Amino acid sequence: MINNIQYGTSTLSMLINQGSMYIDKTARIYDLISQHTKRFVLYRPRRFGKSLLIDTLSEIFQGNKELFKGLAIYDTDYDWEKYVVIRIDMANIESETPQMLKDSLCDSIKRIGRKLGVDISTLTSITAPKSYLSALLEYINDSNLKAVVLIDECDYPIIANIGKPQTKIEEFLAVLRDFYLSFKTNDKAIQFLFLTGVTRIAYTSIFSGINNLNDISFDSSFWDILGYSQEELETNFSPFIDAEVKAKGLKRSSFIDSIKDWYDGYRFSSKDSSVYNPAD
């Protein structure tokens, strides 16, 4: 029995290699990456497992099949082709001012370029996030490689600056809008695009120039791609539930009902059941 439950870990390899509990979402992820559409955005509340999902996608697209041995996707017909993964966590991008946001995005893209052995600043004379990302994607495409772009917390610079004195949110929106527009202008170089965020409030403003993003936040096909369903809770945590029931002399069904009353409060599709937030 796995009795090592990690809290707040968003690195799949750490969970697997340390023998920690991982609620297998790879069947749903397989459904996602097998879609004809390859451009997605998903919004969920904070601490809902979005970063772990991004990390899992990164491992899959890097072709690390053996990491998934024993998980649902391992025995599917997925081909495990290796891609160049461009991964950016917007929560780690400096965004106190619009200029800091621009500079930090450029630095992040340059670091990704260096891993590929290329200095992005030599590929374009325009020092701007959009130009840097476009240059990187063009380089990948010209090198007969395939790129996957994963953006975590895509709306973080907006949320982090709302309400601050003298902050002009429109300036931050303009930076992000221009940066994300490079996904459309370099569409041929991107094999798969996936973004996560917290709120759809800024969706129209940030992605106004992109018309091929598929918002799956309330798609009934992916209602449980994050969070724990009732079945997942009772199956994966059964030993812990049984131990608590035995220790306190409780009735199992009543104890499960009390857990549901306290923690089961998120529904992302009117057709499906609600899910537990993993961090609650």
Side-chain angles (χ1 to χ4, degrees):
M1 180 187 77
I2 293 176
N3 57 17
N4 182 10
I5 300 178
Q6 291 286 337
Y7 176 79
T9 300
S10 57
T11 304
L12 180 67
S13 60
M14 183 179 295
L15 292 175
I16 300 299
N17 294 331
Q18 292 183 354
S20 300
M21 179 177 288
Y22 170 67
I23 308 302
D24 188 1
K25 296 292 184 177
T26 62
R28 193 67 73 233
I29 292 172
Y30 171 79
D31 293 339
L32 176 73
I33 62 181
S34 299
Q35 297 280 307
H36 176 71
T37 302
K38 301 295 183 182
R39 309 287 185 266
F40 301 97
V41 60
L42 172 69
Y43 293 95
R44 286 293 186 269
R46 289 202 180 284
R47 306 196 67 79
F48 222 92
K50 298 187 296 296
S51 295
L52 178 57
L53 174 59
I54 288 287
D55 190 73
T56 304
L57 286 168
S58 178
E59 295 286 2
I60 289 172
F61 285 119
Q62 290 179 78
N64 296 329
K65 181 178 180 178
E66 291 308 305
L67 181 63
F68 294 85
K69 192 169 185 177
L71 300 179
I73 196 173
Y74 186 85
D75 294 318
T76 67
D77 60 356
Y78 182 68
D79 60 14
W80 298 97
E81 182 177 357
K82 291 186 178 182
Y83 297 87
V84 176
V85 176
I86 299 173
R87 177 178 174 181
I88 299 175
D89 184 350
M90 297 300 289
N92 291 330
I93 298 295
E94 298 293 335
S95 58
E96 283 80 358
T97 67
Q99 187 60 50
M100 288 181 68
L101 176 57
K102 291 180 182 179
D103 293 342
S104 189
L105 280 171
C106 286
D107 289 342
S108 180
I109 298 165
K110 286 177 70 176
R111 285 194 295 272
I112 296 171
R114 284 196 292 270
K115 292 180 180 179
L116 294 174
V118 60
D119 183 353
I120 301 300
S121 61
T122 65
L123 301 180
T124 175
S125 59
I126 303 175
T127 305
K130 179 182 176 181
S131 297
Y132 271 32
L133 182 56
S134 295
L136 176 60
L137 289 169
E138 289 174 6
Y139 173 83
I140 292 170
N141 190 59
D142 292 343
S143 301
N144 294 317
L145 301 172
K146 298 178 181 180
V148 164
V149 179
L150 305 174
I151 307 292
D152 199 9
E153 303 281 3
C154 68
D155 51 359
Y156 182 85
I158 304 302
I159 296 173
N161 286 287
I162 288 178
K164 289 185 178 180
Q166 300 181 343
T167 294
K168 297 180 179 179
I169 292 299
E170 180 56 39
E171 294 180 4
F172 289 93
L173 285 171
V175 174
L176 292 179
R177 188 183 305 119
D178 189 57
F179 176 61
Y180 292 144
L181 188 59
S182 59
F183 299 151
K184 181 178 180 180
T185 56
N186 296 279
D187 186 66
K188 66 178 182 180
I190 302 174
Q191 299 299 309
F192 186 90
L193 169 65
F194 190 85
L195 305 95
T196 73
V198 172
T199 175
R200 300 182 77 249
I201 294 175
Y203 176 82
T204 302
S205 297
I206 293 178
F207 300 116
S208 59
I210 307 176
N211 56 13
N212 63 345
L213 268 184
N214 182 17
D215 185 354
I216 61 170
S217 302
F218 300 104
D219 188 327
S220 60
S221 298
F222 302 106
W223 68 277
D224 59 346
I225 195 168
L226 293 179
Y228 303 154
S229 68
Q230 188 66 34
E231 181 181 357
E232 287 171 332
L233 176 81
E234 294 188 36
T235 300
N236 291 274
F237 293 91
S238 182
F240 304 97
I241 293 173
D242 291 341
E244 187 71 6
V245 167
K246 182 178 180 180
K248 295 186 177 180
L250 304 173
K251 186 178 179 181
R252 194 176 197 276
S253 60
S254 299
F255 182 57
I256 290 176
D257 286 343
S258 67
I259 294 175
K260 188 176 180 64
D261 288 341
W262 275 100
Y263 299 110
D264 179 27
Y266 294 86
R267 185 185 295 271
F268 299 106
S269 171
S270 60
K271 298 180 181 179
D272 299 290
S273 300
S274 51
V275 294
Y276 295 85
N277 184 332
D280 281 349

